[in-house]
Amino acid sequence: MRGTTIGVTVVLVGAAVAGAVVYAKLDGNITPDEAAAAELARYEKERPTALVEGAQNLLLIGSDSRSGSGNRRYGRDSGTERSDTTILLHLSADRRSATAVSLPRDLMVDVPSCRKPDGTRTEPMFAMFNYAFETGGSACTIRTVEKLTGIRIDHHVVVDFSGFKKMVDAVDGVEICLAEPIRDKAAKLRLPAGRVRLNGEQALGYVRARKSLGNGSDTDRMDRQQRFLGALVNKVRSNDVLLNPVKLYPVLDAATSSLTTDPSLASLRGLYELVRRVRHIPMERVQFLTVPRESYVYNANRDQLVEPAAEKLFARLRTDAPINVSGEVPGDSAAKEDSDSQSYDHPEYKEDSSSPAPTFRGNTAAEDGCK
């Protein structure tokens, strides 16, 4: 009996030690973005105020940095990086919905004076949105988004090419549905039509390809990214991953080693508290859309916001008010501005008098592209 007790004790101690080692490794994987925190603190007085207690807004930034052995194969390392993808993720206060809004990298915006990596400061500029990340990193991007939307950013996460691939491979690939085969030399993709499971390298090519897939527009690419993220959310939330320690550890390892976050998120506890509160959101309430945009009036290769649709979206996110998304928003639907009776027609947005929430063109994580 004594031997059995000692044996059980050894196993428990061993498990505890192993658990502590694993926790320490995963906890140490995450890189805290101290420089961004210091820069944001410097401008605290000019940042928006959070209006709804409990609601949270995260800025997810996909970096196209070529630095690091895992990223050099995608181009020459020029010493700079741009925001290849930026998504504003709004989590409702009751944690019953999540809304992910893509911000086009070519959107023309007011970029404030920002601190460059060498310590010098830029001049305020009206420029493409991804100029903010290229010159001033995540802090500059956050300040630009806050200036554009009036929405307080509570947390931010930056992930690079290598980190994205690791995440996809860690969940054993992500299944998507293709309406037609892909033969794309630039993206190094050769895929059949129908259901197909993408590994990390294939997924990166799929979400980054722009001119050779779809209609060649950045809007089409963002739609593709949103559909892929919905599929990724479904895969990670499946019991096959979350309830299987053998599969869960590599996912956690890949996720944590891929991330640079604000200091308050840069720990397993911080990430756990965030995930714990959102894991029960129904998939049909995990919504994806692109901010209403159109070609910039002075340059067709750039974007500008569509108003009043964009401000209506930002206002609802600021006040934690619900929105709806639909794959088809009729272009002849009349939307009324609050300030007067002027009608507004645009295929990105519909003011629905039969619903308390306006509808924007988008999709949900529950949608299956093969059906």
Side-chain angles (χ1 to χ4, degrees):
M1 186 68 178
R2 180 182 178 185
T4 301
T5 302
I6 293 174
V8 170
T9 302
V10 169
V11 169
L12 292 176
V13 170
V17 171
V21 170
V22 168
Y23 182 93
K25 180 184 185 303
L26 296 177
D27 198 55
N29 279 348
I30 309 168
T31 302
D33 199 346
E34 302 287 358
E39 179 73 352
L40 292 173
R42 173 177 178 151
Y43 290 95
E44 178 59 38
K45 290 184 179 180
E46 70 178 40
R47 299 183 65 196
T49 300
L51 300 180
V52 179
E53 184 178 359
Q56 287 198 317
N57 297 292
L58 293 83
L59 200 64
L60 311 177
I61 303 171
S63 166
D64 74 350
S65 172
R66 267 66 171 182
S67 65
S69 58
N71 298 316
R72 290 173 185 157
R73 62 183 300 182
Y74 302 105
R76 182 177 62 86
D77 180 12
S78 62
T80 63
E81 54 184 336
R82 292 170 296 182
S83 49
D84 201 54
T85 301
T86 304
I87 295 175
L88 173 60
L89 176 63
H90 175 77
L91 304 176
S92 64
D94 61 10
R95 295 302 186 267
R96 298 174 72 176
S97 69
T99 303
V101 181
S102 294
L103 300 173
R105 62 183 185 178
D106 294 340
L107 187 67
M108 298 302 295
V109 298
D110 289 309
V111 179
S113 172
C114 293
R115 186 182 186 279
K116 297 169 67 175
D118 63 7
T120 62
R121 304 198 71 84
T122 64
E123 293 294 326
M125 183 177 296
F126 186 65
M128 288 170 51
F129 175 61
N130 68 354
Y131 171 81
F133 191 74
E134 181 179 0
T135 57
S138 52
C140 191
T141 302
I142 290 168
R143 292 179 57 222
T144 299
V145 171
E146 290 184 338
K147 184 179 181 67
L148 179 72
T149 67
I151 296 170
R152 172 80 177 209
I153 302 301
D154 302 294
H155 301 291
H156 70 277
V157 175
V158 181
V159 61
D160 61 17
F161 294 157
S162 178
F164 176 83
K165 292 192 303 180
K166 287 179 181 177
M167 268 294 299
V168 175
D169 286 333
V171 297
D172 195 26
V174 173
E175 187 179 84
I176 61 167
C177 191
L178 300 176
E180 55 188 40
I182 294 178
R183 301 289 185 270
D184 189 302
K185 290 184 179 180
K188 299 180 181 179
L189 287 178
R190 190 177 181 85
L191 302 169
R195 293 190 185 278
V196 60
R197 178 178 295 181
L198 303 183
N199 61 28
E201 190 69 40
Q202 292 169 324
L204 183 62
Y206 177 73
V207 300
R208 292 193 68 234
R210 180 177 182 177
K211 296 182 178 179
S212 54
L213 291 183
N215 61 16
S217 70
D218 204 35
T219 298
D220 187 76
R221 185 178 74 145
M222 287 184 288
D223 287 347
R224 207 180 320 122
Q225 291 171 349
Q226 292 162 10
R227 289 192 296 271
F228 180 85
L229 288 174
L232 177 60
V233 169
N234 266 311
K235 185 64 178 289
V236 171
R237 282 188 46 165
S238 70
N239 290 342
D240 189 42
V241 174
L242 294 180
L243 298 182
N244 186 335
V246 175
K247 292 188 176 182
L248 182 58
Y249 173 78
V251 172
L252 291 176
D253 189 34
T256 53
S257 63
S258 303
L259 303 181
T260 297
T261 78
D262 57 281
S264 61
L265 270 189
S267 67
L268 275 184
R269 181 176 295 276
L271 288 174
Y272 172 74
E273 286 301 315
L274 177 67
V275 174
R276 181 179 66 84
R277 295 172 184 174
V278 303
R279 69 180 186 271
H280 296 306
I281 295 177
M283 286 293 92
E284 62 271 15
R285 295 306 299 165
V286 178
Q287 304 178 126
F288 298 90
L289 68 149
T290 297
V291 64
R293 43 72 57 201
E294 62 189 359
S295 294
Y296 180 46
V297 65
Y298 298 114
N299 186 340
N301 294 318
R302 303 289 180 262
D303 291 332
Q304 65 184 25
L305 295 179
V306 168
E307 298 295 1
E311 176 50 33
K312 284 181 177 289
L313 172 62
F314 299 150
R316 296 192 78 85
L317 296 180
R318 284 195 297 269
T319 57
D320 199 31
I323 67 166
N324 296 319
V325 297
S326 173
E328 298 294 333
V329 177
D332 60 353
S333 299
K336 303 295 184 180
E337 292 192 53
D338 293 334
S339 58
D340 54 41
S341 60
Q342 177 184 356
S343 66
Y344 186 82
D345 298 335
H346 199 277
E348 300 285 339
Y349 169 72
K350 176 185 178 183
E351 189 79 50
D352 188 350
S353 59
S354 65
S355 169
T359 299
F360 295 85
R361 191 176 68 83
N363 61 282
T364 75
E367 294 176 24
D368 187 336
C370 282
K371 293 181 178 178

